[in-house]
Amino acid sequence: MNHNTPLISTIVVGLVLAFVFGALVQRVRISPLVGYLLAGVVMGPFTPGYVADQNIANELAEIGIILLMFGVGLHFSLKDLWSVRAIALPGAVVQISAATVMGWGLGWLLGWSSDKGIMFGIALSTASTVVLLRAMQERRLIDTERGRIAVGWLIVEDIACVLTLVMLPPLAGFMKGHAAGDMDIVSLAWPLALTLGKVAAFVALMLVVGRRVIPALLHYVAHTGSRELFRLAVFAISLGVAFGAAILFDVSFALGAFFAGMILSESELSQRAASETLPLRDAFAVLFFVSVGMLFDPSIIVKEPLPLLATLFIILFGKSFAAYGIVRVFGYSKSTALTISASLAQIGEFSFILVGLGVSLSLMTERGRDLVLAGSIISIMLNPFWFAVLDRILAEKKDTPPLPPDEKPAVPRVELPVTGLSNHVVLVGYGRVGSVVGKALRAANTPFLVIEDNPGAIERLRQEGVEVISGNAAAPGMLQAANLDVAHGLLVAIPDAFEGGQIAAKARTISTTLPIIARAHSEEEIAHLKHHGANSVIMGEHEIAKAMIAQIGAADAPSLAS
Ligand code: AMP
């Protein structure tokens, strides 16, 4: 039997080693991504033993990028982005600028030309979608205000990254000329115009033709009832559009795939398309991380400790300070600012794509690439610890109510004025659930007040003339200020059941008889909330089921009340 099968060995050794290292690091509660990168290091040219074929690994990685970007496009929701635009847009812009300036500064210290420094900074600016989404999911933050801001922020960073990928090749010549003191605007204008023209032609084709043809094709296949064919259609579309875009319009695979996903995200089949592509996407994303690990020369840790530390400082602290500052400027609480800083204090796949392009365009030195790769691997590794530190800080803050006099909190925690209301309803959260409850209470002339921590919702409540206590309901002094011991009841209408549990437990210490009604999304959350003192817990999914049964009139709605 012929054993000269580089494609098979790269895939097999890559996946097997990634599995082994991924499982090992998972055991010590580090993201498996780190394991995949380590697997790449082991099968790369800088460590002894088996060396996989880098060219094949790179091509496999390209498929990973196409599927990842297709996924980003599928999840790209203009509506979600719009709802947090006020903070996400300036936040991402400030953070990208800060990272770029810091990267450029470090490059200058290392003796690089400006173009290489700027490229290095840009590569440090974009956080990893994979790492962020995973951290948010683990902490059940996706559905919270903080989660939406972080994801919106990331989408803006993604778009900036896609734009950079498109603009970089034509800009490369200009940046190099500029660095050499030769600023020829014409030599920039023509390739830039050509690239933008090609991108515009591709976008127009996608919006005019693709928007009709692609969803129609998918609907047609969905109606055939063949799951296999549907799955194949999704892959054919994502890979086909990306490849076609690259051949016909010279745009990157990444942009083509992003657009194919975005076009589909409008279709009601997008959810299904996303879940169908997941297994293959995961497999190729793993190979992507492995191929990146193969590029990494671990000796940089001993050869360049100081530049590496400086790079890490930019990723872990520089970007975080910028994010923290801007979130606070916009009036959000410290916990929101810290969560967003922590979730963005890492870099991942976008940086890898950017350094790859940077090196191929001679806009980045191999040393710069190694620093970015090392910075990424270590920052992803440290990300869970960053969140652990965040928990510590937040827990300590709760234990130490007296704040230093020079620190003006957005949410005054001590000596909040106590409401004059009594026998009233206290409503926590005024989002999709709370605002409906609030309207009904107002219509019934029931006195109530709202505790809310989102500045937008607080503003709306003030305009509507509703009494509001601004801040996190779980923070010290908030429930006392709501005069809970003489209230008629407490409605915890927030999506995060763990925070809901904290609020219920605090309310119970104030009144043992107060009716507390909370909101949950799963049986575990119901148990958690009840354990912490809620009298009754409403699970949205049960209520939807009951309403469906009632509407179809087939049977009496079963008693699912908790
Ligand atoms: P929704 O999921 O759309 O019903 O929105 C929930 C609302 O609750 C949002 O407006 C959040 O700002 C708000 N919220 C979430 N957690 C808290 C909390 N701990 N304290 C006060 N308000 C909160």
Side-chain angles (χ1 to χ4, degrees), residues 411-479:
V411 182
R413 293 240 159 74
V414 276
E415 292 172 27
L416 276 171
V418 177
T419 176
L421 293 176
S422 61
N423 204 21
H424 57 299
V425 171
V426 176
L427 175 60
V428 178
Y430 202 70
R432 289 162 300 178
V433 176
S435 58
V436 177
V437 174
K439 271 190 202 96
L441 291 174
R442 213 151 21 143
N445 276 331
T446 308
F448 75 104
L449 71 79
V450 176
I451 306 180
E452 175 54 73
D453 69 355
N454 171 0
I458 295 168
E459 186 57 41
R460 210 170 62 232
L461 282 160
R462 295 223 161 103
Q463 277 167 7
E464 289 172 11
V466 177
E467 182 168 340
V468 51
I469 301 177
S470 55
N472 187 332
M478 299 294 283
L479 295 176

Side-chain angles (χ1 to χ4, degrees), residues 370-411:
D370 287 348
L371 285 176
V372 172
L373 295 181
S376 166
I377 293 180
I378 300 174
S379 69
I380 293 175
M381 218 182 265
L382 290 179
N383 200 246
F385 299 109
W386 210 218
F387 271 101
V389 171
L390 166 81
D391 286 343
R392 286 278 296 270
I393 295 176
L394 294 181
E396 268 168 29
K397 251 174 43 190
K398 279 175 194 153
D399 293 342
T400 52
L403 290 159
D406 58 349
E407 206 175 345
K408 280 202 255 99
V411 182

Side-chain angles (χ1 to χ4, degrees), residues 467-550:
E467 182 168 340
V468 51
I469 301 177
S470 55
N472 187 332
M478 299 294 283
L479 295 176
Q480 284 83 351
N483 222 356
L484 210 59
D485 42 355
V486 293
H488 177 69
L490 170 68
L491 303 180
V492 187
I494 61 171
D496 184 332
F498 287 90
E499 222 165 34
Q502 283 178 2
I503 297 168
K506 288 197 169 175
R508 266 291 157 256
T509 62
I510 297 174
S511 165
T512 49
T513 53
L514 177 83
I516 302 176
I517 303 170
R519 164 182 172 190
H521 297 288
S522 66
E523 301 291 344
E524 292 77 24
E525 290 183 357
I526 293 178
H528 177 83
L529 285 159
K530 288 202 155 176
H531 178 73
H532 284 82
N535 301 83
S536 163
V537 182
I538 315 289
M539 177 169 149
E541 287 73 3
H542 281 174
E543 298 310 307
I544 296 169
K546 277 198 267 182
M548 284 180 167
I549 294 164

Side-chain angles (χ1 to χ4, degrees), residues 316-329:
L316 296 178
F317 298 104
K319 287 189 354 159
S320 299
F321 284 146
Y324 183 85
I326 184 109
V327 177
R328 292 288 284 155
V329 165

